[in-house]
């Protein structure tokens, strides 16, 4: 069955991936309702290109009454849940807000969505719920073996959603993307942080020896994949969104330095992240077979676009430094 996109409610729409998704759906004729708590990582400027093409409510997914007001008024048919605390290092310092937003918030949003009978609830999860894999790749049926407090909070939400599907026949779908990068990413994450550090005349901080491997997906590519899944995927199913483009962190740092045309010695090896997952890799065949999506943007090209965007939007990037600097006092 193909889901029509008449009215779609997007939570966390002022965030990095949520805003990329809205910039895409706003061009497809759907009515878009955005809710966001506007945490430190959110910024409505990410939606300036589609100004006037969405309706915004400041709301926290943990607040059922606040959500009900929006659902009663807007009656969304589709809900896409991007709202989450996402930074692994922050979850290591203090897990509490991750438990609140990622678990409790998901439960509250599920209950309101159930009450207002949404036709489709699409939840954005992460590859991190599977834990690490030294060789091979994770499929959607791989066991959940989350390692960080962040990953555990996302895995808990996934379990809750599966329970709602089974218990109530709730029409939910779970999407598990790999690491995203691209325009508007908050610069606490590795790629924009590395670029920001170079723009500040500092070195790229690389954890441990830089041997950890991540699979990198350009954010617009990810948004397209999510949209295809929203429209075509089967209720109750899980879909991986990977790019098959793997790199060690040290290689990513080298590619960034090369694009930025700065000396390759501008890397600083710093203390490793506790419990640092060595490698993530997704098998995304099911997503291709059922939703017809495959990643299109080559990593080297996507990194060039990202660096180009960062240079053009240097003041936005630099303006975030004050908020993230305390994280790097080690
Ligand atoms: O300063 C750094 N130096 C460094 O070497 C930072 C911030 C990170 N790293 C390493 C850690 C990881 O191996 O780079 C890799 C990527 O780190 P992050 O950008 O923090 O992402 P990661 O921990 O892989 O998690 C990301 O992907 C899955 C997102 O933050 C999650 O929200 C998403 O679910």
């Amino acid at each position: 069955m193909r889901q029509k996109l008449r009215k779609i409610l997007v939570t966390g729409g002022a965030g990095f991936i949520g805003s990329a998704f809205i910039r895409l759906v706003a061009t497809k004729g759907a009515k878009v309702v955005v809710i966001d708590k506007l945490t430190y990582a959110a910024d409505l400027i990410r939606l300036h290109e589609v100004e006037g093409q969405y309706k915004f409510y400041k709301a926290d997914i943990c607040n059922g009454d606040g959500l009900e007001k929006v659902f009663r008024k807007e009656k969304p048919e589709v809900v896409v849940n991007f709202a989450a605390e996402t930074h692994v290092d922050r979850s290591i310092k203090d897990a509490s807000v991750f438990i609140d937003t990622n678990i409790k918030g998901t439960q509250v949003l599920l209950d309101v969505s159930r009450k207002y009978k949404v036709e489709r609830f699409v939840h954005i999860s992460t590859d991190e719920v599977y834990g690490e894999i030294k060789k091979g790749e994770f499929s959607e049926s791989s066991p959940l073996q989350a390692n960080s407090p962040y990953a555990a909070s996302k895995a808990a939400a996934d379990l809750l959603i599966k329970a709602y599907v089974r218990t109530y026949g709730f029409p939910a779908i779970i999407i598990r993307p790999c690491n995203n990068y691209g325009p508007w990413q908050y610069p606490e994450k590795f790629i924009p942080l590395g670029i920001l550090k170079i723009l500040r005349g500092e070195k790229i901080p690389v954890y441990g020896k830089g041997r950890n491997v991540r699979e990198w997906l350009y954010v617009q590519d990810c948004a397209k994949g999510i949209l295809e899944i929203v429209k075509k995927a089967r209720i109750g199913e899980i879909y991986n969104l990977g790019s098959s483009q793997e790199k060690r962190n040290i290689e990513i740092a080298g590619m960034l330095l090369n694009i930025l045309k700065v000396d390759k010695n501008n890397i600083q090896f710093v203390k490793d992240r506790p419990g640092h997952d060595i490698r993530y890799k997704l098998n995304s065949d099911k997503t291709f077979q059922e939703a017809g999506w495959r990643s299109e943007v080559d990593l080297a090209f996507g990194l060039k676009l990202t660096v180009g965007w960062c240079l053009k939007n240097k003041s936005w990037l630099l303006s975030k430094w004050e908020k993230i600097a305390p994280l790097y006092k080690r």
Side-chain angles (χ1 to χ4, degrees):
M1 191 195 86
R2 257 182 169 262
Q3 174 70 43
K4 290 219 176 77
L5 286 176
R6 288 178 300 253
K7 196 167 229 185
I8 181 161
L9 182 140
V10 180
T11 69
F16 167 51
I17 310 180
S19 63
F21 179 73
I22 292 167
R23 292 195 299 274
L24 180 67
V25 284
T27 64
K28 309 280 178 199
K31 283 200 178 130
V32 184
V33 178
V34 178
I35 74 166
D36 201 292
K37 181 183 169 186
L38 299 181
T39 65
Y40 77 94
D43 197 333
L44 283 169
I45 196 159
R46 292 186 172 112
L47 296 174
H48 78 94
E49 268 174 45
V50 290
E51 195 74 65
Q53 295 177 65
Y54 65 91
K55 219 163 152 184
F56 177 73
Y57 294 90
K58 184 174 185 302
D60 180 348
I61 57 167
C62 293
N63 177 354
D65 292 342
L67 287 182
E68 283 219 29
K69 276 185 198 147
V70 180
F71 275 67
R72 209 177 297 128
K73 190 156 177 240
E74 300 293 346
K75 301 181 182 62
E77 288 151 341
V78 176
V79 171
V80 186
N81 182 29
F82 289 92
E85 291 293 333
T86 65
H87 196 45
V88 174
D89 295 320
R90 287 184 193 264
S91 81
I92 293 169
K93 290 202 159 140
D94 181 3
S96 52
V97 71
F98 289 75
I99 307 307
D100 292 344
T101 300
N102 300 358
I103 307 177
K104 181 77 187 162
T106 300
Q107 174 251 313
V108 172
L109 183 65
L110 284 168
D111 284 339
V112 175
S113 300
R114 212 160 72 76
K115 183 169 171 187
Y116 288 85
K117 299 190 168 44
V118 303
E119 291 168 17
R120 220 165 241 245
F121 182 99
V122 178
H123 178 77
I124 310 305
S125 178
T126 169
D127 58 1
E128 299 201 16
V129 296
Y130 299 119
E132 62 183 7
I133 190 162
K134 289 197 177 91
K135 279 187 186 148
E137 46 192 25
F138 293 119
S139 76
E140 288 82 354
S141 55
S142 298
L144 298 181
Q145 290 192 5
N147 291 322
S148 70
Y150 159 71
S153 72
K154 295 295 283 183
D158 286 9
L159 285 174
L160 199 58
I161 291 165
K162 285 183 78 177
Y164 273 56
V165 170
R166 164 107 182 201
T167 310
Y168 308 113
F170 183 69
I173 292 167
I174 295 170
I175 303 183
R176 295 181 177 149
C178 65
N179 280 58
N180 271 235
Y181 70 102
W184 297 115
Q185 187 167 28
Y186 194 79
E188 62 189 351
K189 303 293 197 289
F190 182 50
I191 289 178
L193 175 70
I195 301 169
L196 170 60
K197 284 282 200 169
I198 296 299
L199 293 179
R200 286 177 49 84
E202 298 169 27
K203 295 182 176 183
I204 300 181
V206 171
Y207 293 168
K209 295 198 165 95
R211 289 191 187 134
N212 303 64
V213 174
R214 295 292 182 266
E215 184 181 0
W216 292 99
L217 176 61
Y218 194 61
V219 68
Q220 266 101 318
D221 241 1
C222 181
K224 284 186 193 170
I226 293 169
L227 183 57
E228 290 313 302
I229 292 170
V230 168
K231 289 194 297 199
K232 301 176 190 160
R234 284 183 295 142
I235 297 290
E237 295 291 319
I238 299 170
Y239 295 89
N240 286 343
L241 273 187
S243 66
S244 291
Q245 303 190 74
E246 289 183 75
K247 286 279 178 250
R248 289 179 174 199
N249 294 335
I250 189 75
E251 294 175 285
I252 293 285
M255 289 167 89
L256 292 177
L257 293 174
N258 190 27
I259 300 167
L260 285 157
K261 297 190 176 58
V262 291
D263 192 277
K264 61 179 188 316
N265 296 321
N266 280 293
I267 288 175
Q268 187 185 8
F269 292 100
V270 298
K271 196 166 156 251
D272 209 351
R273 171 185 282 171
H276 197 174
D277 285 335
I278 189 70
R279 176 175 173 265
Y280 306 133
K281 175 70 173 62
L282 296 174
N283 177 313
S284 308
D285 291 350
K286 178 178 171 187
T287 306
F288 179 62
Q289 282 152 14
E290 297 191 17
W293 175 89
R294 232 203 286 260
S295 132
E296 288 167 354
V297 181
D298 164 71
L299 178 61
F301 181 63
L303 285 179
K304 271 191 198 152
L305 293 178
T306 305
V307 169
W309 184 90
C310 288
L311 294 176
K312 239 180 155 177
N313 295 273
K314 200 171 157 181
S315 57
W316 182 81
L317 211 60
L318 290 169
S319 74
K320 304 294 181 191
W321 177 247
E322 295 309 317
K323 281 205 185 118
I324 55 175
L327 264 185
Y328 299 96
K329 287 203 181 95
R330 289 162 160 260

